[in-house]
Amino acid sequence: MAGKRRRTAKNQGISKKAVFILGLFIALCVIGFAYMRQSGEEVITFSTDSAVATSTDADKTDKTEKDDTAKEREKGHKQPKTVKGRLAIVIDDCGTDMAVLEGLNAVPIDLTYAVMPFKSHTIDSAESGRNAGRKIIVHLPMEPLDVPSSEEIFISSDMGDSKIRATMNELIDQVPYAVGINNHQGSKATADSRVMKAVMSVLKKRDLVFLDSRTNTGSVGEETARAAGVATTRNNLFLDNDTSVNAVKERLRQAARMAVKNGHAVAIGHCRENTLRAIRETVDELTDEGIKFVFVTDLM
């Protein structure tokens, strides 16, 4: 009997130890699992935060770069301390020489590009100019006096009104992003009231502006545009009839003097290396003299 009680007590001791060990094991398992879960959550959280931070940093970098570019474009060329006159420079005959056009894109002033239709780089020139923040107009071929037209498709005084309108639309459609036109040659066509009324009917319908290049002092283009309700102005002088750099610089100075005297002026140059060089080397000088460079549409 006594032996039986000793065995029972011994078994109870073993059972208590087993329960204690089992409880301790369970407790350690619970603690370990909780620790692993906490650690796992921290890793996941860290990983997620890192991904978010990386994405956010990239977005911030991209936004900063865009903001910096916008600021640079807004800042552009230094502005005159006091504006004494506004000068619009229009570059005719864009559409062939992309090297010169890219050089013009880098000049930090407002420029207007008159792009020729049906040229090897008509679309390239318009797109490149627009991307550089330029205004684009169509350098639209019109009939000259006494000499053949340089272009196969042009507005001619022997066309009927419907043919003029169709040809106008055909030529304008060649140049993307155009906000208006100016005449290429056109000394005969621009002096013909009937022709110019037909021209203006198309511009009015398409909400486009007209710059009279004034290849003929007898042009009725500007007055016909005004009568038709088309925004317009005229060229005041050509910059590069003499193509030497020094001659173009002097013409730029002359245009600046006109702008100071009259409040504004329009000058037309051409997409040529020497014209590019003259503009690039003169803008600071003219700015210091109070000239603000603007788009031709700003003067309409």
Side-chain angles (χ1 to χ4, degrees):
M1 188 73 171
K4 184 177 180 180
R5 283 197 297 270
R6 284 197 294 271
R7 284 195 300 271
T8 301
K10 183 177 181 180
N11 289 338
Q12 288 176 346
I14 292 171
S15 297
K16 288 179 180 180
K17 287 180 180 179
V19 170
F20 175 78
I21 291 169
L22 179 61
L24 180 61
F25 175 76
I26 292 171
L28 288 173
C29 287
V30 170
I31 292 170
F33 176 76
Y35 177 78
M36 290 176 66
R37 182 181 179 187
Q38 183 179 6
S39 299
E41 286 175 350
E42 287 176 352
V43 170
I44 292 170
T45 302
F46 177 77
S47 175
T48 303
D49 288 346
S50 296
V52 170
T54 301
S55 175
T56 302
D57 289 345
D59 291 343
K60 286 180 179 178
T61 301
D62 184 54
K63 185 177 185 301
T64 301
E65 288 175 354
K66 288 179 180 178
D67 289 346
D68 288 345
T69 301
K71 287 178 182 177
E72 285 301 314
R73 286 180 178 174
E74 287 176 6
K75 181 172 64 177
H77 179 64
K78 67 178 183 179
Q79 297 300 315
K81 293 180 180 179
T82 301
V83 176
K84 297 180 180 178
R86 296 186 297 162
L87 177 59
I89 297 178
V90 179
I91 305 297
D92 276 359
D93 292 352
C94 299
T96 303
D97 194 328
M98 288 302 295
V100 172
L101 188 131
E102 293 295 341
L104 287 163
N105 284 347
V107 179
I109 60 172
D110 289 344
L111 292 171
T112 303
Y113 292 169
V115 180
M116 290 285 292
F118 294 108
K119 295 300 180 183
S120 57
H121 292 291
T122 292
I123 294 175
D124 294 336
S125 296
E127 290 182 342
S128 178
R130 180 176 181 270
N131 291 338
R134 304 323 194 190
K135 291 288 186 182
I136 306 299
I137 62 177
V138 183
H139 195 37
L140 197 136
M142 295 187 179
E143 183 182 12
L145 276 169
D146 303 327
V147 294
S149 173
S150 64
E151 308 304 310
E152 290 185 11
I153 302 175
F154 60 96
I155 301 300
S156 171
S157 58
D158 64 3
M159 290 177 171
D161 290 357
S162 60
K163 178 63 173 176
I164 290 172
R165 289 191 290 268
T167 305
M168 282 284 295
N169 283 313
E170 180 183 12
L171 292 166
I172 292 168
D173 288 343
Q174 278 286 303
V175 182
Y177 315 116
V179 298
I181 74 165
N182 73 330
N183 52 290
H184 170 70
Q185 297 183 317
S187 51
K188 184 174 182 179
T190 58
D192 188 315
S193 294
R194 180 193 65 83
V195 170
M196 295 312 292
K197 284 178 182 177
V199 166
M200 296 309 157
S201 69
V202 175
L203 299 184
K204 179 65 175 176
K205 185 174 183 179
R206 298 182 65 145
D207 194 24
L208 299 175
V209 306
F210 176 70
L211 167 63
D212 191 338
S213 299
R214 299 292 291 179
T215 55
N216 182 348
T217 56
S219 171
V220 297
E222 187 179 17
E223 64 185 73
T224 307
R226 293 192 192 285
V230 173
T232 187
T233 191
R234 66 168 63 186
N235 174 42
N236 297 120
L237 82 167
F238 287 97
L239 294 172
D240 48 11
N241 289 337
D242 182 338
T243 60
S244 70
V245 173
N246 287 336
V248 178
K249 285 183 178 181
E250 187 50 45
R251 293 291 278 179
L252 281 163
R253 295 183 183 108
Q254 184 180 348
R257 290 192 293 270
M258 294 177 68
V260 171
K261 180 180 178 180
N262 301 317
H264 58 81
V266 178
I268 292 180
H270 294 80
C271 192
R272 300 169 181 160
E273 180 63 37
N274 281 359
T275 302
L276 162 61
R277 181 178 164 190
I279 293 171
R280 187 168 53 202
E281 294 176 4
T282 310
V283 290
D284 284 344
E285 171 192 330
L286 299 185
T287 299
D288 290 341
E289 293 177 0
I291 296 300
K292 179 179 177 61
F293 294 94
V294 297
F295 298 121
V296 73
T297 48
D298 293 330
L299 303 182
M300 294 180 176

